[in-house]
Amino acid sequence: MKTTLSTWFVKYSENHKDKTNKIIHFICVPIIVFSLLGLLSCINIKIISLSGTAKYLHITLADIFILLVFMFYIRHSILISFGILIFSLICFLLIYLVKEHLAFPSWAVFSTLFSVAWIGQFIGHKHEGKKPSFLTDLVFLLIGPAWIIGFLYRQMGISF
């Protein structure tokens, strides 16, 4: 039986009731997604063009990852997947800016953000006294960003 997004949100919310933990998640989850995409964008993959020429299609692991993640979301909600798509496009723009305009190596920036945001997540869960949801089911790593998009939609009166 397919688990609905609403069911995932209810289960995810059980470990995210404390106001401080929620605030931390609203800050840290987007940073984790951004920094993970940033790290994955540092790994390039060359695919030979199907036209038979010597040209390559340049993609990164971030491109493949977001495609697979988007397929997960679209199975559950077109509106949530649209929100994730918009957020992903913003992330890719910011990743480009980091790679092109910062003097620091981009992998160092992304790995630092990733580490600090995860520390924040664990501090939030320590404060709430509940373990992170993904420790019971790894799918919750995908539910966190959708949960935030869902919250924002509810605040705007958009049902999904």
Side-chain angles (χ1 to χ4, degrees):
M1 183 169 90
K2 179 180 165 185
T3 304
T4 67
L5 201 53
S6 296
T7 303
W8 285 115
F9 285 173
V10 168
K11 289 180 183 178
Y12 190 84
S13 294
E14 291 172 2
N15 294 331
H16 302 87
K17 294 182 185 219
D18 178 74
K19 183 178 180 181
T20 300
N21 191 24
K22 284 182 181 179
I23 291 169
I24 289 171
H25 275 65
F26 273 77
I27 294 167
C28 292
V29 168
I31 293 171
I32 289 169
V33 172
F34 166 71
S35 58
L36 176 61
L37 289 173
L39 286 168
L40 293 174
S41 76
C42 294
I43 304 168
N44 294 305
I45 300 170
K46 288 184 181 180
I47 298 176
I48 297 174
S49 172
L50 297 177
S51 66
T53 64
K55 295 182 181 177
Y56 293 96
L57 175 63
H58 294 276
I59 62 172
T60 68
L61 278 185
D63 301 322
I64 295 169
F65 176 78
I66 206 64
L67 177 65
L68 295 172
V69 166
F70 187 73
M71 288 168 46
F72 170 82
Y73 289 126
I74 206 158
R75 285 183 51 218
H76 294 285
S77 168
I78 291 175
L79 282 175
I80 292 290
S81 59
F82 179 74
I84 294 293
L85 177 64
I86 297 299
F87 176 70
S88 299
L89 291 173
I90 293 167
C91 285
F92 281 121
L93 173 63
L94 294 174
I95 289 164
Y96 169 79
L97 293 173
V98 166
K99 286 180 163 185
E100 293 297 317
H101 299 291
L102 285 186
F104 303 104
S106 58
W107 64 266
V109 172
F110 299 132
S111 60
T112 300
L113 287 171
F114 187 80
S115 301
V116 169
W118 270 110
I119 289 168
Q121 294 280 80
F122 284 108
I123 289 170
H125 280 288
K126 177 76 173 161
H127 177 79
E128 182 161 355
K130 295 185 179 174
K131 65 182 180 177
S133 299
F134 77 88
L135 294 177
T136 58
D137 190 337
L138 290 177
V139 173
F140 283 114
L141 290 170
L142 295 173
I143 298 303
W147 183 71
I148 291 173
I149 297 287
F151 174 83
L152 294 173
Y153 282 174
R154 285 188 298 278
Q155 296 301 306
M156 295 184 284
I158 300 171
S159 46
F160 49 90

